[in-house]
Amino acid sequence: MARYVFITGGVVSSLGKGLASAALGALLQARGFSVRLRKLDPYLNVDPGTMSPFEHGEVFVTDDGAETDLDLGHYERFTGVSARKTDSISSGRIYSNVLEKERRGDYLGKTIQVIPHVTNEIKDFISIGDDEVDFMLCEIGGTVGDIEGLPFFEAIRQFGQDKPRGQCVFMHLTLLPWIAASGELKTKPTQHSVKELRSIGIAPDILVCRSERPIPEKERQKLALFCNVRPDSVIAAYDLKSIYEAPLAYHREGLDQAVLDAFQISPAPKPDLSRWEDVYDRVFHAEGEVRVAIVGKYTQLEDAYKSIAEALTHGGMANRVKVKAEWIDAEIFDREDPAPYLENFHAILVPGGFGERGTEGKIKAAQFAREKQIPYLGICLGMQMAVIEAARNMADLSDAGSEEFDHEAGKRRFTPVVYHLKEWVQGNHMVERKVDDDKGGTMRLGSYTAHLTKGSRVAQVYGATEIQERHRHRYEVDIKYRDKLEACGLVFSGMSPDGRLPEIVEHRDHPWFIGVQFHPELKSKPFEPHPLFKDFIRAAKEGERLV
Ligand code: GLN
């Protein structure tokens, strides 16, 4: 049976609970324990799949095809443990499960209530697979006191009681604001937040306090006294230059020790932090800088492309360079020539996206990269745009486009080089999609195998001819156009095992131009940079354009 750490937040949101959870996971691993991380989100959406990236940041896709919160990306990047469908749940999903059971008659006509029906559903979810790991870390989204979060807080309170003593530890993350006028760090908001938590029956064992200034001993004692925790369980979380410093920083502040003490695990196994020391060294001792233009749509909110930003950083770490990513709004190129915007970059990346807006600009960016021989990585929509570019400008299909943008039946604007896929093979069964399916969950999602052509650039990059990568899309490049495009130099170098779905394209006469239908960024880790990002940055670094 796993030991449980519940991570809650107070005072304000966005304090970095996800990062603290992920770093704690990494530290427990460094001490030889196995971990799994889970996110419980109070919002009412059934899953984040249909939430706008503007609102919620990127949708992180797991191997088993769940569309989850971007915090699961942090968890994977820090622990290397692949998240599963059962590692992310929202209130919406919980309620939807409960209502489905009610409709099926599973509750035998009883009155359905938050306690026990909703809380039981949450507890069942938390326990899934608890015999598989030493520690289960469960983060509750939002802050204590949020109305939607109450059933989750109540469920974890009950859970702590249901389990044998010493099986669950509660960790609460808060903020100590710095008041410049009086030159003080204030503990009162934390005291209130803990009071709120205790009023719903949860007494935190560990307090993690975000602070921009060192926490004086006096304040630490005060927090311990008023919040009823041990002084060595008041852990400081200072601002960091890089998130990858977090495991070492939290270790320095004694977080992992405090957690092991709370579980009375003694003697505590010694940690091996070499992985994180190496990561630290690569982040802070980079030589030179590579500039990458990311031509996309959701450029105002960096979280919308979180995993891409991280994967680029990892690629830089592998090559010991700093990667400076700049976000360029693709729509600018609808009106303007891309040259002045793009010519000073060492590489161009066109990420995934949905909808027509900005796509002509992305096509122009792909054309610019191809013609100017600048390293190009096209991800999902970025691959589709590169194929349309080649079709239009190299293969004489001047009206090439994607069915995604042809809404009016009977009035075709484009030759659908990229078409809407309705059925495909997953493992050894057929998946079918109806035209009028809901928007949620109708995509080709999760991990699929691709076969790479021997001798191709991608086969060289991966050092393999069979790979597994994660997908999230509705449209596919039409194999019908393969011969025509290959004759012009756009090689289809990765295909689905049945040979029907193009997974990777690359330009033969270009130093580094690769488009992939999947999302390689989701599998990159600081201690194991993804081969495509590693080689993309190498190409950018070694390219003649390096200044
Ligand atoms: N909109 C495209 C599709 O659905 C690409 C999706 C993506 O980039 N993730 O196929």
Side-chain angles (χ1 to χ4, degrees):
M1 193 177 23
R3 292 181 169 92
Y4 282 81
V5 182
F6 292 103
I7 299 114
T8 57
V11 182
V12 290
S13 60
S14 308
L15 284 179
K17 263 191 311 221
L19 183 59
S21 310
L24 176 59
L27 290 174
L28 291 170
Q29 281 181 325
R31 294 200 186 241
F33 296 107
S34 58
V35 300
R36 179 162 286 285
L37 286 110
R38 278 203 171 138
K39 178 87 192 272
L40 293 82
D41 265 313
Y43 51 73
L44 284 167
N45 304 63
V46 173
D47 64 45
T50 41
M51 289 166 92
S52 159
F54 286 122
E55 293 247 341
H56 197 70
E58 126 189 311
V59 174
F60 189 82
V61 181
T62 58
D63 279 334
D64 60 3
E67 297 180 281
T68 68
D69 187 89
L70 55 84
D71 272 324
L72 268 76
H74 279 315
Y75 302 166
E76 283 201 13
R77 282 188 283 273
F78 279 83
T79 62
V81 177
S82 293
R84 301 181 189 149
K85 268 195 174 104
T86 45
D87 293 329
S88 159
I89 200 149
S90 63
S91 290
R93 167 75 63 199
I94 293 281
Y95 280 102
S96 149
N97 290 354
V98 168
L99 294 177
E100 204 177 293
K101 285 187 184 168
E102 189 271 339
R103 292 289 82 192
R104 268 206 317 256
D106 290 7
Y107 299 120
L108 306 172
K110 287 227 167 3
T111 308
I112 312 303
Q113 294 179 297
V114 171
I115 306 171
H117 300 98
V118 171
T119 47
N120 281 352
E121 190 70 28
I122 298 172
K123 289 196 286 181
D124 288 348
F125 171 79
I126 293 171
S127 331
I128 296 171
D130 86 341
D131 50 354
E132 292 173 20
V133 287
D134 299 320
F135 284 94
M136 194 78 87
L137 312 186
C138 299
E139 176 191 347
I140 319 289
T143 45
V144 58
D146 292 348
I147 201 159
E148 295 101 338
L150 280 173
F152 284 118
F153 286 101
E154 169 59 16
I156 63 172
R157 180 196 69 74
Q158 291 177 16
F159 195 87
Q161 288 298 325
D162 296 347
K163 293 282 167 191
R165 251 179 226 287
Q167 199 75 19
C168 298
V169 156
F170 294 88
M171 170 171 142
H172 191 55
L173 188 76
T174 71
L175 172 73
L176 303 185
W178 169 255
I179 305 297
S182 57
E184 279 178 314
L185 279 176
K186 289 294 188 189
T187 64
K188 194 63 104 192
T190 298
Q191 294 179 41
H192 278 293
S193 173
V194 170
K195 198 165 150 196
E196 180 84 32
L197 202 54
R198 286 163 69 188
S199 75
I200 49 179
I202 297 171
D205 302 284
I206 295 166
L207 272 186
V208 176
C209 302
R210 281 295 300 271
S211 167
E212 48 177 286
R213 306 276 170 136
I215 305 174
E217 191 48 36
K218 191 171 103 270
E219 306 306 322
R220 199 183 286 267
Q221 294 293 343
K222 188 164 158 192
L223 280 164
L225 182 64
F226 284 92
C227 300
N228 197 31
V229 298
R230 288 160 193 275
D232 54 8
S233 294
V234 177
I235 307 294
Y238 300 123
D239 298 347
L240 302 172
K241 285 206 186 68
S242 157
I243 55 169
Y244 297 121
E245 230 184 307
L248 294 180
Y250 273 122
H251 177 69
R252 239 183 353 255
E253 297 302 326
L255 176 64
D256 43 335
Q257 189 61 54
V259 169
L260 296 177
D261 287 347
F263 283 112
Q264 301 193 340
I265 296 175
S266 135
K270 288 248 167 316
D272 171 7
L273 295 167
S274 49
R275 168 186 275 184
W276 294 102
E277 280 153 4
D278 179 52
V279 164
Y280 181 90
D281 185 57
R282 287 175 183 273
V283 172
F284 289 97
H285 299 106
E287 291 147 25
E289 186 178 270
V290 162
R291 297 179 65 218
V292 180
I294 304 180
V295 182
K297 186 163 71 168
Y298 312 108
T299 45
Q300 300 96 317
L301 181 68
E302 230 179 87
D303 270 359
Y305 297 120
K306 187 76 192 151
S307 293
I308 289 186
E310 296 307 326
L312 284 170
T313 305
H314 307 159
M317 287 158 66
N319 290 285
R320 290 207 175 261
V321 287
K322 191 168 163 35
V323 175
K324 189 153 183 282
E326 273 179 47
W327 313 82
I328 297 177
D329 183 356
E331 276 182 284
I332 298 176
F333 306 152
D334 288 352
R335 308 175 295 271
E336 291 179 52
D337 177 20
Y341 291 92
L342 296 179
E343 62 197 358
N344 289 322
F345 287 96
H346 302 115
I348 297 170
L349 188 153
V350 175
F354 292 84
E356 186 168 8
R357 194 158 61 77
T359 50
E360 289 302 321
K362 292 176 191 178
I363 291 170
K364 282 198 192 153
Q367 181 180 7
F368 184 81
R370 175 176 62 80
E371 290 176 351
K372 300 286 184 230
Q373 305 270 298
I374 304 172
Y376 175 93
L377 177 58
I379 294 178
C380 208
L381 189 68
M383 164 192 179
Q384 297 173 356
M385 295 305 109
V387 171
I388 292 172
E389 190 280 312
R392 286 187 188 174
N393 301 323
M394 299 172 83
D396 274 344
L397 285 161
S398 55
D399 61 348
S402 168
E403 268 193 349
E404 182 171 3
F405 320 135
D406 251 340
H407 300 297
E408 281 179 71
K411 266 205 232 155
R412 279 223 168 282
R413 290 152 60 213
F414 298 121
T415 297
V417 170
V418 176
Y419 70 105
H420 193 182
L421 183 75
K422 305 276 175 16
E423 53 174 42
W424 63 90
V425 181
Q426 179 167 39
N428 43 22
H429 73 281
M430 252 349 239
V431 184
E432 242 189 284
R433 185 166 46 210
K434 309 215 174 44
V435 187
D436 52 359
D437 275 342
D438 294 352
K439 271 275 183 246
T442 59
M443 286 189 260
R444 185 150 91 98
L445 279 170
S447 184
Y448 283 84
T449 301
H451 291 167
L452 314 184
T453 312
K454 273 206 193 84
S456 61
R457 179 175 289 278
V458 279
Q460 206 185 324
V461 166
Y462 276 93
T465 50
E466 189 178 310
I467 58 164
Q468 271 81 34
E469 292 283 3
R470 295 182 193 170
H471 290 247
R472 181 174 185 255
H473 56 109
R474 294 192 177 84
Y475 299 84
E476 300 279 344
V477 172
D478 197 332
I479 187 78
K480 233 172 33 202
Y481 300 96
R482 178 175 186 165
D483 291 346
K484 217 171 161 80
L485 288 162
E486 289 203 328
C488 308
L490 186 71
V491 182
F492 287 39
S493 53
M495 299 294 296
S496 60
D498 64 1
R500 287 179 58 212
L501 307 176
E503 292 275 7
I504 306 175
V505 295
E506 54 188 76
H507 273 297
R508 200 175 39 217
D509 307 315
H510 190 289
W512 211 102
F513 191 112
I514 296 177
V516 293
Q517 188 54 76
F518 45 80
H519 289 275
E521 72 276 18
L522 302 178
K523 284 176 73 166
S524 189
K525 306 182 177 75
F527 45 83
E528 201 187 304
H530 191 285
L532 276 171
F533 281 89
K534 183 170 163 181
D535 207 56
F536 178 55
I537 299 300
R538 181 201 56 73
K541 176 184 167 187
E542 289 170 9
E544 286 152 37
R545 303 175 58 86
L546 188 59
V547 281

